[in-house]
Amino acid sequence: MGRSTQVGRARSGKPVASRPRWASVTALVTTFALGFAVAFVTGSWTSGPDATQRRIAELQQDEARRDVEQVGALIELARGGRERLTPVLEAMAAPTAPTLDAVRGWRDVVSAEVQRYAETPSAGNGVNVARTGLRTAVEQLAAAVDGFAVAVTASPPLADELLGLARAQRTLALRTWSVAALQLDVISVDAGKGHVHVHLPAGPDAGTIPADTAPEGSG
């Protein structure tokens, strides 16, 4: 009898609540996640900004070295172009009309120069501006040569008008080159290579920007 009473009491009493297993797992995961977040924030606060700044500085140094190399290559290209193009420009400035054979010779020289600017290596804005200016000037000069080719095969008075247009295109090429040459001089000084004068020969009425008066190579 006594045994039945005890069993009855145990059955009639409220069961003791036990903590589910999933709740323990959830708490463990939450604790781990919070610890990881704190460690990440702490690590980012102590080392992240410094690492980012170092990486930015490295990229800037790489860009600066690349631009110095590109400036040197562009200077050599412009100097070579000045030597190759000067005879053509002087012949274009003659008061008499050129022969068709002479114009064909000009075209060979100028077309080869255009091809030298076909590639555009990655560089900073200063180098890109100078390179684009030089390339545009050479392309304008090629257009002038085409104008001379049409003019020498035309009959008067149209031939005279076409010659005038071709010479005007030549002048525009000289002006464009002078702007690019000034830009090249600026970035050459910034790159530590001193002043560089790669201006093409132009008459006093061409409207070109004159070269800097500083000595070649001076900083």
Side-chain angles (χ1 to χ4, degrees), residues 48-213:
D50 291 338
T52 301
Q53 293 298 325
R54 286 196 299 271
R55 182 55 181 160
I56 292 175
E58 291 174 357
L59 293 174
Q60 290 175 339
Q61 291 174 358
D62 291 341
E63 182 177 353
R65 285 192 294 267
R66 179 199 63 190
D67 281 359
V68 170
E69 294 175 356
Q70 291 296 328
V71 168
L74 192 56
I75 289 173
E76 294 305 314
L77 180 60
R79 283 173 173 167
R82 180 182 56 187
E83 295 177 1
R84 291 182 290 266
L85 294 175
T86 294
V88 175
L89 290 166
E90 292 175 346
M92 283 183 176
T96 57
T99 64
L100 185 57
D101 287 341
V103 175
R104 288 170 179 166
W106 301 349
R107 179 172 288 164
D108 291 340
V109 175
V110 177
S111 296
E113 205 64 33
V114 171
Q115 288 300 316
R116 290 185 174 92
Y117 288 94
E119 296 183 3
T120 305
S122 177
N125 290 334
V127 179
N128 289 336
V129 169
R131 184 186 300 277
T132 301
L134 295 172
R135 181 174 63 243
T136 303
V138 173
E139 291 171 347
Q140 288 177 328
L141 192 57
V145 172
D146 291 340
F148 276 102
V150 175
V152 298
T153 59
S155 301
L158 180 59
D160 294 335
E161 295 179 3
L162 292 175
L163 282 172
L165 291 174
R167 291 188 176 110
Q169 186 68 54
R170 169 189 176 274
T171 300
L172 291 176
L174 287 171
R175 290 175 182 174
T176 303
W177 182 283
S178 70
V179 175
L182 180 61
Q183 172 67 11
L184 183 57
D185 184 50
V186 172
I187 62 177
S188 177
V189 173
D190 291 342
K193 297 181 179 297
H195 288 276
V196 55
H197 302 155
V198 295
H199 287 66
L200 293 171
D205 299 328
T208 58
I209 299 177
D212 194 286
T213 56

Side-chain angles (χ1 to χ4, degrees), residues 9-20:
R9 290 177 180 179
R11 289 179 178 176
S12 61
K14 294 183 180 181
V16 178
S18 61
R19 188 175 186 181

